[in-house]
């Protein structure tokens, strides 16, 4: 059974940091991309960062470049999102998603059935 479980969310002040973790099971590293996505209240889901299992390349959305980073253990059993210098606009539910390398991140945003998802973890940043 393929499963993703996120943890690490919480309520912080502007400028503080959080590290989110996503524990994956049932996935073969070389076949999947694992990404972090977020969805603010009343807004569409957007991608934040992703790491490709075949070559460990990483990609960050412009809105978080220089503040967030994504990393995983060697087997990609756990994928982390380190979030520094948090801003109120980072407030959202954060989801971990895994999808086949045949898809790109926009495919998965267009059709969430293309991916496997965790239950999400809330991040709230207060001024």
């Amino acid at each position: 059974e393929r499963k993703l479980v996120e943890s690490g969310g919480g309520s912080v002040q502007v400028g503080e940091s959080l590290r989110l973790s996503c524990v994956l099971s049932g996935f073969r590293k070389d076949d999947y991309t694992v990404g972090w996505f977020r969805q603010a209240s009343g807004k569409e889901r957007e991608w934040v960062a992703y790491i490709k299992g075949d070559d460990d390349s990483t990609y960050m959305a412009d809105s978080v470049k220089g503040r967030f980073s994504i990393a995983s253990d060697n087997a990609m059993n756990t994928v982390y999102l380190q979030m520094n210098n948090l801003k109120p606009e980072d407030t959202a539910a954060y989801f971990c998603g895994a999808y086949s390398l045949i898809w790109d991140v926009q495919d998965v945003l267009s059709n969430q059935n293309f991916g496997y998802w965790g239950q999400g973890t809330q991040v709230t940043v207060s001024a």
Side-chain angles (χ1 to χ4, degrees):
E1 179 188 7
R2 295 181 179 92
K3 192 174 180 182
L4 304 92
V5 180
E6 305 99 331
S7 62
S11 296
V12 297
Q13 301 291 315
V14 168
E16 293 185 339
S17 299
L18 281 173
R19 188 175 79 158
L20 305 184
S21 298
C22 174
V23 177
L24 298 97
S25 55
F27 294 93
R28 185 170 176 269
K29 178 181 184 285
D30 289 346
D31 294 339
Y32 285 90
T33 295
V34 178
W36 283 98
F37 300 76
R38 66 186 181 186
Q39 188 163 14
S41 181
K43 295 190 176 181
E44 293 187 350
R45 188 170 296 192
E46 62 177 1
W47 72 274
V48 176
Y50 58 92
I51 181 168
K52 303 185 84 171
D54 56 347
D55 63 5
D56 295 326
S57 55
T58 61
Y59 302 83
M60 311 299 298
D62 288 343
S63 59
V64 304
K65 274 181 185 174
R67 301 188 298 122
F68 292 12
S69 61
I70 187 170
S72 74
D73 60 12
N74 286 340
M76 212 160 72
N77 289 324
T78 305
V79 176
Y80 305 96
L81 183 69
Q82 178 66 44
M83 305 187 295
N84 298 327
N85 191 20
L86 282 159
K87 303 177 179 181
E89 52 263 42
D90 295 318
T91 295
Y94 283 71
F95 297 89
C96 180
Y99 51 98
S100 169
L101 288 168
I102 67 172
W103 306 118
D104 67 30
V105 71
Q106 294 300 335
D107 293 329
V108 178
L109 284 172
S110 297
N111 188 340
Q112 293 177 21
N113 290 328
F114 289 165
Y116 298 86
W117 300 93
Q119 80 287 352
T121 186
Q122 179 68 33
V123 172
T124 302
V125 185
S126 302

